[in-house]
Amino acid sequence: MIGQAVLPTPELVFEPLLPELVLVVFAMAGLLYEALAKRTEAVVHLSIGLVGVVLAGGTSLWLWDWDGPATVLGDAVSADRFAVLARLLLLVVAALGLLLGHQYFARSGDEQRGEFTPLLLFATSGMTLIVASADLILTFLALEILSLALYVLTGLTGRRAANEAAMKYFLLGAFSSAFFLYGVAMAYGATGTTKIAAMALALTGTGEAQALAVLGFALLAVGFAFKVSAAPFHMWTPDVYQGAPTPITAFMSAATKVAAFGALIRVLDVAFQALAWDWAPVVWGLAAASVVIGSILAIAQTNVKRMLAYSSIAHAGFILTGLTAAGSAGIRAAMFYLVAYAAMTVGAFGTVMVVSGRGEKRTRIGDYTGLARTNPIAAALMTLFLLSLAGIPPTAGFIAKVNVFSAAIDAGYWVLALIGVVTSVAAAFFYLRVIVLMYMQEPEPAAPSLTEKVGIGAENSATAILAIPAAATLLLGVFPGVIVGIIRDASVLRW
Amino acid sequence: MTAQEYAFAVIAAVGSISAIAVVTARNVVHAALYLVVALLSVGATFLLLGAEFAGWVQILIYVGAIVILFLFGLMLTKAPIGRDTLDNTHRWVGLLVAAGVFAGLAFLIQDAFPLDAEPFEVFHGSTSVVGESMFRDFVLPFEAISFLLLAALIGAIVLARKDEGN
């Protein structure tokens, strides 16, 4: 052959990316259906979304026994079990989000938006991509994909509060993305690569360019802290969680945390593992600030969504507490916490959705007065989720807290564990206050009962959806062993 | 000094002076035009280093698109033009932040690339090298960017279409 040599074609092993490809294909299908069909049915949208999520889950499960290379596509995607477990958790949350959203639009006065399902699938594909990403460039792009979709989902209903929340989320999110990208650039300057495996090798054993690497990590940490809503980068959380439509709050409060923590775990325990002595104090500080600020500010809230938002800040702190332990021990504690947190927070926001009624009118804590009389099932569900969020046995939240505290103590950070225990006790106050209101006081005479408002059928199907997180919360609390083995297998990062 | 270093000195001087002129200009349109010069000299620096792709992208995107957007924005919003509206009272804070960023970057750069270190082999980032690398080593991020743009486009349409309905 004369002239230019033919480029050697790289072998494309794309199977570890199948879950994302499936999600993207179904998102496109949803968009095409919305654009081409003469009359669109919400049920068809829901089915497209659910089939996509289930198929993506099936391909993820198949990847559990993947015996190909640890990273594929130019070392950009990891094919380890950690990615599989995180993806499955995300997909379950996405399915619950789709179901709750369907209920929400079916009964609220808001116009049914055909873009809901595709956008939620877009967000999910970004989230499942980020937990498998082994290249900081890809991590950044996945972060942007999920964030953009979430900004739009937040403002989807076009209600004033939702628009304001979307705007705030977008501005602060863009700001934090810039920090993250700057951190990637610094890390590249220090190591000459953006692949986390190569970064780990470059940082091992050399004292050179340490300042640049530490600064790079600090900037990356700012970006991650914003996404997981850890203090002091939590300012957006209460406004956005309150303003967004409740099913979307349920989805993003759980899924964004799983996705961002999944990526953070790879950055901490692979890329920067050689600098563990430098990043541990940073994680310590973020964890302590988050549990204290989240718990204290939650006490003063009068809106249930805001209270749960502050509680999610505190929970980000508890997960960070587990992550102060480097390596597999920290990953195990954090993963269990993420599973438990996903179940209880989706459940709690889902119950808020059931109680709030059309147009999200009833979201004050006072609206829960005497709920046990007017809607005993919702009151019972809320009690279960609140007990779990407070960390009271026999719920998942208790086991999860024990795990992160013992991981931190084993790593020598007993002061942090002590701060966590003390704030947990303080936080129990505002969770229990809602339970007391629901069970020990008479309903306000003016408050209409829920069944009158939305009809028995709508209420029952929404409650049936919530049976899934409720069962998970109880099961993980009573028999945590069912998932411990799976998490142990998934806690070894391959790179 | 080599010819390359002389050229760099000229470009750096032009770039720095126009960068200062951006913040001291009394007219916001003049500031935008000075910004064009500053960005052009950054592009020229890339070209000088043999990074032709980065150089032309810098010029195309920043000069060709972003500054033009600035000017369109000024024109369409009838932004107030003149000294009083441009000035604000945070000059000293701004100076402090600028000095801090400069000191921090200067420290980091000399820390990572000391002056007495071996001179770098200049890597020529020609367009064909960039293209090969992009479609071989970075093919997945490239596809992810396309998808990101699609998501942004759909998101923009979803948000914009709502106003029409109201």
Side-chain angles (χ1 to χ4, degrees):
Chain A
M1 223 170 129
I2 307 162
Q4 279 200 314
V6 177
L7 284 174
T9 319
E11 201 186 340
L12 287 181
V13 183
F14 64 91
E15 286 91 338
L17 210 59
L18 272 177
E20 286 74 38
L21 294 176
V22 170
L23 286 173
V24 171
V25 165
F26 276 84
M28 301 293 175
L31 283 174
L32 284 178
Y33 172 70
E34 174 71 15
L36 299 179
K38 285 209 173 59
R39 250 182 59 91
T40 54
E41 298 284 340
V43 181
V44 179
H45 272 301
L46 178 69
S47 324
I48 292 174
L50 284 181
V51 171
V53 168
V54 169
L55 280 181
T59 49
S60 306
L61 266 183
W62 173 73
L63 285 172
W64 182 262
D65 289 322
W66 172 256
D67 50 6
T71 54
V72 297
L73 291 167
D75 291 338
V77 177
S78 290
D80 53 12
R81 290 182 167 180
F82 175 78
V84 173
L85 182 63
R87 272 185 184 130
L88 287 174
L89 181 56
L90 286 166
L91 291 167
V92 171
V93 173
L96 290 172
L98 282 171
L99 288 164
L100 287 173
H102 178 70
Q103 290 296 323
Y104 179 84
F105 286 114
R107 68 135 209 242
S108 78
D110 292 317
E111 183 196 348
Q112 170 76 38
R113 312 267 317 182
E115 296 88 354
F116 169 71
T117 305
L119 281 171
L120 197 132
L121 291 185
F122 275 157
T124 312
S125 69
M127 289 163 177
T128 56
L129 185 59
I130 203 173
V131 295
S133 165
D135 183 341
L136 287 182
I137 292 182
L138 195 63
T139 305
F140 172 73
L141 290 173
L143 197 64
E144 286 301 285
I145 292 171
L146 77 91
S147 304
L148 275 173
L150 285 178
Y151 304 148
V152 180
L153 280 172
T154 303
L156 194 65
T157 55
R159 213 178 288 119
R160 200 184 160 78
N163 276 346
E164 195 186 314
M167 195 65 199
K168 201 169 273 179
Y169 196 14
F170 170 68
L171 287 177
L172 289 171
F175 204 53
S176 82
S177 295
F179 274 104
F180 186 90
L181 200 54
Y182 209 3
V184 175
M186 294 282 178
Y188 180 80
T191 61
T193 179
T194 57
K195 320 269 185 205
I196 60 166
M199 210 174 259
L201 291 177
L203 288 174
T204 307
T206 60
E208 280 177 55
Q210 283 286 10
L212 205 55
V214 170
L215 186 72
F217 171 74
L219 289 167
L220 289 174
V222 171
F224 279 122
F226 177 88
K227 290 296 167 196
V228 302
S229 58
F233 305 101
H234 64 281
M235 301 301 183
W236 60 279
T237 315
D239 293 333
V240 173
Y241 282 16
Q242 185 186 2
T246 314
I248 288 161
T249 311
F251 169 69
M252 73 176 170
S253 64
T256 315
K257 272 208 177 46
V258 177
F261 270 115
L264 177 62
I265 284 171
R266 276 189 203 282
V267 168
L268 290 179
D269 287 323
V270 180
F272 288 92
Q273 59 174 345
L275 301 182
W277 286 109
D278 292 304
W279 61 249
V282 177
V283 176
W284 196 104
L286 287 173
S290 304
V291 291
V292 170
I293 291 178
S295 301
I296 289 177
L297 292 185
I299 294 173
Q301 301 309 314
T302 55
N303 182 297
V304 133
K305 286 170 87 177
R306 254 186 123 71
M307 184 196 91
L308 288 174
Y310 278 106
S311 128
S312 94
I313 295 167
H315 285 285
F318 290 126
I319 299 168
L320 285 168
T321 304
L323 284 180
T324 51
S328 163
I331 299 175
R332 278 201 301 273
M335 272 315 272
F336 189 93
Y337 206 107
L338 283 169
V339 175
Y341 173 76
M344 57 207 190
T345 194
V346 169
F349 277 113
T351 319
V352 170
M353 185 193 110
V354 169
V355 176
S356 66
R358 285 173 76 100
E360 308 211 357
K361 293 215 172 56
R362 289 154 46 90
T363 56
R364 286 181 306 115
I365 288 178
D367 292 328
Y368 286 73
T369 311
L371 190 71
R373 298 284 173 82
T374 52
N375 189 346
I377 300 173
L381 283 171
M382 197 65 182
T383 306
L384 173 66
F385 297 129
L386 288 177
L387 286 177
S388 184
L389 286 167
I392 291 167
T395 56
F398 171 70
I399 310 281
K401 278 212 174 86
V402 170
N403 281 344
V404 292
F405 292 150
S406 63
I409 291 170
D410 287 346
Y413 301 107
W414 61 271
V415 177
L416 183 60
L418 192 69
I419 296 175
V421 171
V422 171
T423 50
S424 297
V425 173
F429 164 75
F430 60 80
Y431 297 119
L432 294 178
R433 186 179 56 173
V434 178
I435 298 175
V436 167
L437 272 180
M438 289 193 298
Y439 280 94
M440 302 192 179
Q441 292 192 20
E442 291 296 314
E444 291 165 24
S449 79
L450 187 90
T451 43
E452 288 167 17
K453 270 220 135 162
V454 297
I456 294 279
E459 187 211 347
N460 281 352
S461 43
T463 316
I465 299 164
L466 294 178
I468 300 167
T473 307
L474 264 182
L475 187 70
L476 290 180
V478 182
F479 305 110
V482 291
I483 196 174
V484 165
I486 301 171
I487 288 180
R488 195 189 307 117
D489 284 347
S491 69
V492 182
L493 300 172
R494 288 174 71 200
W495 53 282
Chain B
M1 274 185 23
T2 61
Q4 206 187 9
E5 282 168 306
Y6 280 116
F8 174 72
V10 173
I11 293 169
V14 171
S16 310
I17 292 170
S18 49
I20 293 170
V22 171
V23 285
T24 53
R26 281 157 188 269
N27 185 317
V28 71
V29 178
H30 292 174
L33 294 177
Y34 281 123
L35 191 61
V36 171
V37 180
L39 293 170
L40 274 176
S41 50
V42 174
T45 315
F46 279 130
L47 290 179
L48 207 59
L49 289 168
E52 51 166 314
F53 185 74
W56 289 119
V57 164
Q58 169 83 20
I59 292 169
L60 264 178
I61 310 252
Y62 281 89
V63 181
I66 292 184
V67 177
I68 300 295
L69 271 181
F70 273 153
L71 292 174
F72 262 110
L74 289 175
M75 193 176 80
L76 294 176
T77 55
K78 292 182 190 141
I81 294 170
R83 173 106 201 164
D84 295 337
T85 45
L86 266 182
D87 216 0
N88 69 41
T89 51
H90 301 301
R91 289 180 180 212
W92 292 105
V93 182
L95 188 68
L96 211 65
V97 171
V101 169
F102 178 77
L105 283 177
F107 167 74
L108 283 173
I109 290 172
Q110 66 81 27
D111 183 63
F113 310 103
L115 278 177
D116 53 352
E118 293 281 303
F120 278 102
E121 192 68 27
V122 174
F123 170 75
H124 287 283
S126 70
T127 309
S128 69
V129 173
V130 172
E132 257 177 50
S133 172
M134 186 179 288
F135 290 103
R136 192 156 41 165
D137 306 332
F138 294 99
V139 66
L140 183 62
F142 181 78
E143 291 297 327
I145 285 197
S146 325
F147 182 59
L148 173 63
L149 289 177
L150 178 73
L153 208 65
I154 292 166
I157 293 171
V158 170
L159 290 182
R161 215 188 57 182
K162 188 162 49 197
D163 294 335
E164 194 183 285
N166 287 352

